[in-house]
């Protein structure tokens, strides 16, 4: 075979991570995003009370949407196991 096993592996999907690890990764990403946004709000609440903060809000929503796409498997699994869970919550 002209292509080594290692070279073929570069074209294969990475092994699936355990569901619990994905959930924890998602939670970590959400916590970091929310901490950054809370810091943005606090800073602007002190320093920019006379300005609109829409750019920070757009950035937050853009990254939140990316997390929803990247961790859709986690959100679907959690939402399907808890009929009362709001979409995107853990």
């Amino acid at each position: 075979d002209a292509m080594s096993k290692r070279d073929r592996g570069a074209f294969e999907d990475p092994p699936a991570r355990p569901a619990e690890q994905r959930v924890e990764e998602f939670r970590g990403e959400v916590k970091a995003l929310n901490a950054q946004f809370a810091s943005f709000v606090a800073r602007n609440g002190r320093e920019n009370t006379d300005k609109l903060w829409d750019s920070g809000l757009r950035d937050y929503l853009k990254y939140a949407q990316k997390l929803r796409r990247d961790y859709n498997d986690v959100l679907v699994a959690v939402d399907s196991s808890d009929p009362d869970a709001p979409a995107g919550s853990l």
Side-chain angles (χ1 to χ4, degrees):
D1 187 31
M3 193 181 332
S4 72
K5 183 176 182 178
R6 189 185 74 158
D7 292 336
R8 281 194 307 269
F11 297 104
E12 295 173 3
D13 290 333
R17 286 173 281 190
E20 292 173 18
Q21 183 178 348
R22 292 277 295 157
V23 169
E24 289 308 310
E25 286 176 9
F26 176 72
R27 284 184 173 150
E29 292 285 341
V30 170
K31 286 179 183 181
L33 176 62
N34 288 341
Q36 289 175 345
F37 186 67
S39 176
F40 167 82
V41 170
R43 185 177 57 254
N44 280 284
R46 289 187 310 273
E47 300 171 6
N48 295 312
T49 58
D50 60 339
K51 297 178 183 170
L52 295 174
W53 306 343
D54 54 332
S55 64
L57 182 56
R58 278 194 300 274
D59 288 346
Y60 176 89
L61 293 173
K62 180 179 175 182
Y63 195 73
Q65 183 178 31
K66 180 183 182 317
L67 289 177
R68 286 184 185 277
R69 276 193 314 271
D70 292 351
Y71 291 93
N72 186 56
D73 58 314
V74 172
L75 297 172
V76 168
V78 169
D79 288 346
S80 66
S81 65
D82 181 0
D84 296 325
S89 67
L90 289 179

